[in-house]
Amino acid sequence: MHAGEPWDALWLNLHLATLELERGYGEIRDAALAVRDGRIAWLGPRQELPGGERAQIVYDGRGGWLTPGLIDCHTHLVYAGNRAEEFERRLAGEAYEDIARSGGGIMATVRATREASEDELLRQSAVRLRHLAGEGVTTVEIKSGYGLTIESERKMLRVARRLGEVCDLRVCTSFLGAHALPSEYAGRGDDYIERLCAEMLPALAAEGLVDAVDAYCERIAFSPKQVERLFARARELGLPVRLHADQLSDCGGGALAARHAALSADHLEYSSEDSIRAMARSGTVAVLLPGAFYFLREARRPPLPALRAHRVPIAMASDCNPGTSPCTSLLLMLNMACTLFGLTPAEALAGVTRNAARALGLQREAGRLAAGLQADLALWDVRHPAELAYAFGANPCSGRWRAGRLASSGR
Ligand code: NIG
Ligand code: FE
């Protein structure tokens, strides 16, 4: 360590994929990147580096590629137990919606999550998050929604916050009290929404546990009218919103999200072109979830041509959850977004960096390599960034940095 060096940390002998532009990777070959006070201070071709190649720490990129740290912008990774038995039932022919209607599905995980202690929930969830982090993830969004009482929703959100420290990454929380109707409120959906608006959301927000509000708008969950009520309350509390929209049927979810200037509308398999147009106008990011599409063996794909035509920013995420996407690999989602939905590898990488940052309202902090942003970085042992979407089951991540510091739970 040498005090007075021009940079706190310097990366040399590598290429950069900056993800700065709307298209492509933003390639800078034989580059250097310098960090000061946790932020990117300089990046560009190595020969143009000002001040010489001196820093307190110099990292040798070994000819690999440095990208922004990956961002998983939609997960339900805090939960207890699993639903392998439900998977077997679905394979034997039962439908996801029928299992949900008969008290299984989300409610099965609610029962297990309510029973688990906070420490046990942390232990089970950390296993999943470590796996994501090992693939270069430096920011993760985590939803509540398997508690559905104030105590158990608080427990989930506290675990989410603690996970950020345990796994050395940035956690953004979303309150998803409107995920399923708890049996205590059977037949009284409006009353439950009222309870969320009057008590649960304001209390948990006041405790600093809520960064955004999410809801599940679907015929087996909450109606557009109920979601409108919740979103109006979120706005009063100054909280941004996002929505599980049009996953199993067209509920006009994309348009509803756009009306509330939602950060993102997620799933979107059944969204109409009107919804997509509205999302384009409101700047709402489309978050595609190929893991859930694959695991539910959906036939209907999200409307990629319309998303492209209307220039809606596209992100993708793991949707890590026990029922529809028991997945802890964001790299696998890159591959599936290409093979199942038809994205290009460059669109896929932008979907877990630049556009995922936007889906979390973090576009000025993360998701690109640019001077001034936090130095959240991932180093890859690949010849070209397209390989990140090309290979599946591989993990070429060789380093992960959070705000310029080597992150501890990386491989
Ligand atoms: O994103 N759609 C609602 N929530 C999850 C499924 C949750 C579950 O089945 O446990 C999803 O697919
Ligand atoms: Fe989800």
Side-chain angles (χ1 to χ4, degrees):
M1 302 279 255
H2 313 282
E5 297 288 8
W7 315 110
D8 294 345
L10 182 61
W11 283 254
L12 297 172
N13 191 21
L14 42 63
H15 314 292
L16 304 180
T18 66
L19 280 301
E20 262 287 80
L21 307 172
E22 209 180 305
R23 279 177 200 289
Y25 299 99
E27 302 181 23
I28 306 178
R29 301 221 171 221
D30 195 10
L33 182 141
V35 165
R36 195 181 286 135
D37 296 330
R39 294 191 178 262
I40 299 172
W42 189 90
L43 77 171
R46 182 174 179 169
Q47 304 90 319
E48 295 173 20
L49 177 70
E53 296 185 348
R54 293 180 302 115
Q56 292 188 26
I57 305 175
V58 177
Y59 294 104
D60 179 358
R62 295 169 185 249
W65 284 78
L66 194 68
T67 67
L70 304 190
I71 298 173
D72 194 347
C73 66
H74 179 143
T75 86
H76 310 246
L77 73 78
V78 171
Y79 62 82
N82 69 60
R83 307 231 292 275
E85 170 260 353
E86 178 182 314
F87 177 51
E88 292 185 315
R89 283 168 62 187
R90 284 202 298 106
L91 289 173
E94 277 187 74
Y96 178 72
E97 287 187 67
D98 293 339
I99 293 171
R101 284 199 187 92
S102 66
I106 293 173
M107 288 313 295
T109 300
V110 168
R111 288 188 287 276
T113 304
R114 284 180 179 178
E115 267 172 37
S117 69
E118 186 175 312
D119 285 345
E120 178 56 18
L121 199 52
L122 180 83
R123 194 190 62 74
Q124 293 189 26
S125 306
V127 174
R128 293 184 277 273
L129 188 51
R130 274 197 200 100
H131 201 273
L132 279 174
E135 288 188 347
V137 170
T138 50
T139 298
V140 66
E141 184 261 14
I142 300 178
K143 303 175 195 300
S144 70
Y146 291 123
L148 314 182
T149 61
I150 187 158
E151 297 78 18
S152 51
E153 291 285 294
R154 178 186 290 121
K155 178 173 68 179
M156 289 187 73
L157 292 166
R158 282 173 47 96
V159 166
R161 288 276 189 247
R162 285 173 66 189
L163 280 169
E165 283 156 39
V166 171
C167 295
D168 215 351
L169 37 64
R170 180 194 286 106
V171 168
C172 301
T173 59
S174 298
F175 174 68
L176 181 56
H179 195 196
L181 188 62
S183 44
E184 307 88 274
Y185 281 85
R188 295 189 295 129
D190 288 349
D191 291 351
Y192 179 63
I193 293 288
E194 238 10 83
R195 176 77 181 270
L196 297 184
C197 293
E199 289 172 39
M200 280 164 74
L201 177 56
L204 297 172
E207 292 169 34
L209 291 170
V210 179
D211 297 328
V213 175
D214 195 348
Y216 187 20
C217 186
E218 193 55 70
R219 53 196 178 198
I220 53 168
F222 295 93
S223 70
K225 215 173 139 222
Q226 290 168 334
V227 172
E228 298 264 7
R229 167 77 187 104
L230 178 67
F231 280 6
R233 187 72 181 111
R235 180 180 324 186
E236 285 170 8
L237 294 167
L239 295 168
V241 298
R242 52 175 20 93
L243 186 65
H244 282 72
D246 308 327
Q247 178 188 13
L248 307 171
S249 62
D250 182 6
C251 299
L256 193 169
R259 275 201 297 288
H260 290 266
L263 289 173
S264 72
D266 305 30
H267 288 288
L268 305 177
E269 277 83 347
Y270 286 84
S271 293
S272 67
E273 185 151 6
D274 279 350
S275 274
I276 303 303
R277 221 177 269 118
M279 286 170 58
R281 282 196 298 269
S282 61
T284 298
V285 176
V287 178
L288 306 184
L289 302 168
F293 172 90
Y294 161 80
F295 196 65
L296 291 179
R297 296 191 287 175
E298 278 282 344
R300 172 110 164 200
R301 303 200 291 173
L304 185 62
L307 291 170
R308 280 183 179 143
H310 296 288
R311 301 168 68 88
V312 175
I314 300 170
M316 76 238 19
S318 70
D319 197 10
C320 175
N321 79 70
T324 67
S325 190
C327 167
T328 51
S329 171
L330 196 54
L331 291 177
L332 178 59
M333 297 303 101
L334 295 194
N335 179 268
M336 284 188 177
C338 297
T339 55
L340 301 177
F341 294 165
L343 272 76
T344 67
E347 284 176 317
L349 187 57
V352 295
T353 53
R354 190 186 64 241
N355 293 341
R358 197 165 153 181
L360 298 176
L362 289 174
Q363 58 272 30
R364 284 182 200 85
E365 285 292 311
R368 293 169 291 135
L369 300 183
L373 268 66
Q374 286 217 351
D376 292 352
L377 310 169
L379 181 64
W380 307 95
D381 184 12
V382 295
R383 306 282 300 269
H384 190 268
E387 290 170 41
L388 299 179
Y390 154 77
F392 57 102
N395 182 8
C397 183
S398 56
R400 181 176 79 95
W401 292 265
R402 165 81 185 107
R405 284 180 309 100
L406 193 62
S408 60
S409 70
R411 290 196 312 167

